[in-house]
Amino acid sequence: MTMKRWKKIWNILGGLLLALAVAIFVVPRFFGYVPLGMCGAGVRCEYPQGSLLYIQKIQPEKLRVGEPIAYYRGNLKRQPVVRRITRIDYSNGQFMANQDDSDFAADIVPFSDLYGAPVSFYLPGLGTAFTELQTLPGMVILFFLVGTYLVLNYYFGALAKGEWPPPTEFR
């Protein structure tokens, strides 16, 4: 294959990856959906472990017993968890949620910790990667991959134009 063909293939692959990333992570935000990586075991049998869920904001009045819900657990408001609602107490402004349908070891969650409700669409296997990319090591790896892509893009472009290796001059 010629260098121009490699450059063309490289640009197509980069464009497809960029379009896929925008379609998965950016476009849903315009429709009010927030991506959430579910690394641990969430609601049993509904979402596979490691899935990328899309969460839609919901008002407490629309909560229903038996439906999955995403909420912040405890004082650490970093990563929401997804559980099933087992009881709703509107008078005290809270609900109970657990992995299964029992009240044993259920979380008592105030409405202020409510994050949203997962929609029925999810992407299996992408949740762990999405969660890891939000950490410092994940961002370093992402910047390294993007930088490598840009350097190789420049290199393939220079090879395709015949500008690489640069000419050497001796005086």
Side-chain angles (χ1 to χ4, degrees):
M1 271 199 212
T2 65
M3 275 299 130
K4 288 184 180 182
R5 184 167 288 182
W6 277 110
K7 170 77 173 161
K8 192 175 205 177
I9 291 171
W10 188 256
N11 284 338
I12 289 171
L13 286 174
L16 286 174
L17 282 174
L18 181 64
L20 183 65
V22 167
I24 291 174
F25 300 113
V26 178
V27 172
R29 290 182 185 266
F30 288 113
F31 296 102
Y33 303 116
V34 179
L36 170 67
M38 191 172 90
C39 293
V43 177
R44 294 183 189 224
C45 302
E46 189 146 353
Y47 306 108
Q49 185 173 350
S51 296
L52 180 67
L53 303 177
Y54 291 98
I55 308 295
Q56 185 175 26
K57 298 293 182 187
I58 188 171
Q59 298 300 320
E61 301 83 38
K62 294 185 179 183
L63 295 177
R64 300 287 177 254
V65 173
E67 292 184 355
I69 196 73
Y71 60 91
Y72 294 108
R73 182 196 265 173
N75 295 333
L76 297 175
K77 298 200 179 212
R78 290 185 2 218
Q79 184 72 16
V81 295
V82 178
R83 301 286 188 258
R84 188 176 308 283
I85 298 173
T86 55
R87 274 194 205 169
I88 303 171
D89 184 5
Y90 288 107
S91 61
N92 291 325
Q94 61 190 16
F95 62 92
M96 294 177 75
N98 200 352
Q99 280 186 327
D100 51 17
D101 293 330
S102 69
D103 285 339
F104 180 72
D107 292 336
I108 299 173
V109 184
F111 288 156
S112 61
D113 288 350
L114 180 63
Y115 187 72
V119 296
S120 59
F121 178 74
Y122 63 92
L123 297 171
L126 287 179
T128 305
F130 178 71
T131 303
E132 290 301 319
L133 284 176
Q134 294 177 352
T135 64
L136 182 61
M139 286 184 205
V140 169
I141 291 171
L142 180 65
F143 285 128
F144 174 76
L145 291 175
V146 169
T148 302
Y149 172 79
L150 292 175
V151 167
L152 288 175
N153 194 29
Y154 171 76
Y155 177 70
F156 283 146
L159 279 176
K161 292 179 186 175
E163 298 172 354
W164 193 269
T168 56
E169 295 181 20
F170 296 104
R171 293 186 186 206

